[in-house]
Amino acid sequence: MGRRRRPRERDCAAQGARRHCRHLAECKLVSFPVGIYKVLRNVTDQIHLITLANNELKALTSKFMTTFCQLRELRLEGNFLHRLPNEVSTLQHLKAIDLSRNQFHDFPEQLSTLPALENINLEENEIVDVPVEKLAAMPALHLINLRFNPLNAEVRVIAPPLIKFDMLMSPEGARAPPP
């Protein structure tokens, strides 16, 4: 007989174990499972990608950020996040973060302190203002996706001449297509 398939929740925790990443996408999580900290405590410095996409997360804890400080990529799209903890500044090796389809009203300015950050995806949030000067000073930033955010006119006018990276914006008043 073939091997029995594990339940979906265990699959989420087990995916990617051989690839230095953890996939916990589409597991209906409302918070990061405390038990995962214990299971991974001896290998956290080897984890470079965590995917928590399409869950029901409303917040991440400072413990999450400080535990996984070696992350290179963090995928948090499709949750209910509206802010990041200040400890996101401990992610000094982070190259990409996906925060699309969340509930950010304010740009998470802590991201501007991350020296290795190359890509920021904030598509389909409710962001009006962006710290253009801080973003322009980021040495590694290549791309920021702000499509389908109600950006103010000042950001649309001031940003292009100041930045050396690609800033994706939708036409003023554009709305994301329904899911």
Side-chain angles (χ1 to χ4, degrees), residues 14-23 46-49 51:
Q15 287 178 3
R18 293 176 302 277
R19 295 185 308 246
H20 303 288
C21 60
R22 294 294 175 264
H23 295 281
Q46 298 170 25
I47 296 172
H48 298 150
L49 164 66
T51 299

Side-chain angles (χ1 to χ4, degrees), residues 76-140:
L76 298 167
E77 68 269 21
N79 282 288
F80 300 105
L81 300 171
H82 63 279
R83 65 175 186 81
L84 293 175
N86 288 334
E87 290 78 6
V88 74
S89 63
T90 64
L91 302 178
Q92 295 293 300
H93 306 285
L94 193 69
K95 291 180 179 265
I97 188 164
D98 190 341
L99 297 166
S100 62
R101 296 185 286 73
N102 274 286
Q103 297 179 350
F104 285 89
H105 290 269
D106 297 316
F107 186 92
E109 289 196 36
Q110 310 97 308
L111 296 178
S112 67
T113 66
L114 302 178
L117 195 56
E118 297 174 358
N119 296 303
I120 302 171
N121 188 351
L122 280 159
E123 185 172 359
E124 288 187 50
N125 278 280
E126 294 298 321
I127 296 170
V128 174
D129 198 19
V130 177
V132 176
E133 294 82 10
K134 289 181 180 180
L135 294 173
M138 292 177 68

Side-chain angles (χ1 to χ4, degrees), residues 23-29 50-57 75-79 98 101:
H23 295 281
L24 294 164
E26 299 178 6
C27 293
K28 298 183 181 177
L29 298 174
I50 292 181
T51 299
L52 291 164
N54 303 313
N55 280 294
E56 299 171 11
L57 299 172
R75 301 201 49 187
L76 298 167
E77 68 269 21
N79 282 288
D98 190 341
R101 296 185 286 73

